[in-house]
Amino acid sequence: MGIRVVVGEFDAGTGWDPVTVMARLLARALGAELVSVPHRRLSSRAYPVVARAPRRRGPLTTIVVAPQPVHLYALLDVAHWLPGSGLTAGWVIDSFLLDRLPAVARRRRHFDHLFVTDAEMVRDWADATGITTSWLPWGSDVLGRGSGQVVRPVDLQRVGRQPETWSDDDDVARLLGTRGLVYSGRPPFVPDVDGNQAAVMGAMARAKMTLSFTNRLSPAGYTHHSREYLTGRWVDAVACGARVAGVAPRCAATERLLWTGATVDLGGVDRREGLARVEEAAAAWTPATPGSIHRRALAQVDWRWRFAELVEVLHLEAPVLEADLATMQGSGTPPAPPLRGPG
């Protein structure tokens, strides 16, 4: 039985490149056909209408990677809906946006199983949809794109949005410079999903630490106003052997995927205290630090551990994935524990 991975895809540089790259990696790992449906197409008013139609059955297994709930509509794109599927699953990344639940995910009409990245939302999704729901948190391509390189000319690398006290790159660079430390602002944008992700992770691999704050302390119009959640910039950083300085989100994914040595708690958004803690962490850094972080990330953060859980739940065969896992274990990486979560 063939497998098809369908991903709702944003344009490059909009913050969703890690999800697009993950979908490509998933398709490779499963030996699946990869199909991208542009985000702009999924706003069509036709999809809620089609969602009320009977499900079309076919020989394929279809896995929809949905950056946001609306992208579950990618299952109904004409090219994919007409052939039908024998088994359909959806993997929702921004699963905290349950208030945007699309019609296609209601009443178990089109999906057989859902996966969400937020353990705290598993039961809410199951109750709202009537669909069996499991927890699959964030990951990173540690094996293929990670790094434990020792040469780290940057002490602190900015990644993504920051609270107001840390938002002025020139000012932060100046203040860290007075402490003998090197700061780097936003990585340059590359107008290509793969190239842009490579540029971001390349910048992380040249840094001892990256700078990130939970959405509770660094809100934006596109973040949730109350729920805290882990995102790709945290796991990509440790994949690249860098510690994450800032304030981590308080959630199950943080507890499961990060560890004490992976982060530098800055205590809040007060910059004076934060700069002192960054200086202290930089002084404690050794050439052994990146390799240690990278190995730990390989053991528990790599996307392939998430894929292994998905394969087990959906009863799929994935020889390419098995070979990758064998490579990781052959390098001394112990198997990651299952991540079933509540529900």
Side-chain angles (χ1 to χ4, degrees):
M1 180 169 60
I3 303 174
R4 175 177 49 202
V5 172
V6 181
V7 57
E9 188 169 340
F10 283 98
D11 293 336
T14 54
W16 291 104
D17 296 346
V19 179
T20 302
V21 168
M22 177 271 274
R24 295 175 180 178
L25 184 64
L26 175 62
R28 174 194 167 278
L30 300 184
E33 174 193 10
L34 175 67
V35 183
S36 298
V37 180
H39 169 73
R40 57 186 175 277
R41 190 189 304 174
L42 296 173
S43 61
S44 170
R45 296 181 179 179
Y47 285 111
V49 177
V50 177
R52 294 196 292 270
R55 173 173 172 174
R56 295 186 67 87
R57 297 283 180 176
L60 292 175
T61 291
T62 300
I63 301 169
V64 179
V65 177
Q68 296 179 343
V70 68
H71 297 102
L72 292 173
Y73 275 134
L75 177 70
L76 304 182
D77 197 65
V78 173
H80 324 306
W81 181 65
L82 287 177
S85 299
L87 171 67
T88 58
W91 189 351
V92 184
I93 306 303
D94 271 6
S95 53
F96 53 83
L97 297 175
L98 185 57
D99 59 326
R100 304 182 192 179
L101 182 68
V104 69
R106 298 180 186 275
R107 298 182 299 280
R108 196 168 181 167
R109 179 172 291 167
H110 296 285
F111 283 93
D112 301 298
H113 203 106
L114 291 174
F115 299 93
V116 297
T117 57
D118 300 293
E120 296 83 357
M121 297 297 295
V122 168
R123 193 165 301 281
D124 292 329
W125 272 83
D127 290 345
T129 64
I131 302 171
T132 302
T133 304
S134 302
W135 179 38
L136 281 184
W138 268 92
S140 181
D141 184 6
V142 188
L143 181 64
R145 294 172 180 263
S147 175
Q149 70 181 41
V150 173
V151 178
R152 305 264 166 167
V154 174
D155 293 290
L156 186 63
Q157 170 69 55
R158 173 182 179 149
V159 183
R161 70 180 187 278
Q162 304 295 335
E164 185 176 351
T165 49
W166 289 90
S167 63
D168 188 326
D169 285 343
D170 292 338
D171 199 30
V172 174
R174 177 184 61 81
L175 291 171
L176 280 175
T178 64
R179 296 170 181 260
L181 301 178
V182 176
Y183 176 81
S184 180
R186 296 177 183 272
F189 168 68
V190 178
D192 166 74
V193 168
D194 202 65
N196 197 59
Q197 182 67 2
V200 172
M201 293 188 73
M204 292 175 171
R206 293 188 294 274
K208 297 180 179 72
M209 291 170 281
T210 65
L211 184 67
S212 296
F213 287 83
T214 174
N215 56 296
R216 174 174 55 88
L217 299 178
S218 179
Y222 53 85
T223 64
H224 198 275
H225 65 279
S226 60
R227 287 189 179 274
E228 294 186 69
Y229 49 92
L230 197 71
T231 63
R233 57 183 176 159
W234 296 82
V235 289
D236 282 346
V238 296
C240 293
R243 300 182 72 185
V244 187
V247 177
R250 298 174 298 191
C251 61
T254 295
E255 294 176 3
R256 176 61 185 85
L257 298 178
L258 301 181
W259 59 97
T260 301
T263 60
V264 178
D265 185 8
L266 299 188
V269 298
D270 181 80
R271 195 169 61 183
R272 178 178 298 180
E273 179 181 0
L275 289 169
R277 294 192 181 194
V278 167
E279 183 177 18
E280 180 181 359
W285 185 90
T286 74
T289 301
S292 175
I293 294 173
H294 178 256
R295 287 190 297 273
R296 181 75 178 264
L298 194 64
Q300 66 189 61
V301 174
D302 196 286
W303 276 124
R304 292 162 184 81
W305 300 121
R306 310 295 94 80
F307 300 165
E309 180 79 357
L310 180 146
V311 164
E312 181 184 358
V313 170
L314 300 182
H315 305 291
L316 302 177
E317 295 183 359
V320 174
L321 174 61
E322 291 175 4
D324 282 351
L325 293 175
T327 297
M328 293 163 65
Q329 293 170 9
S331 66
T333 300
L339 300 172
R340 299 193 182 281

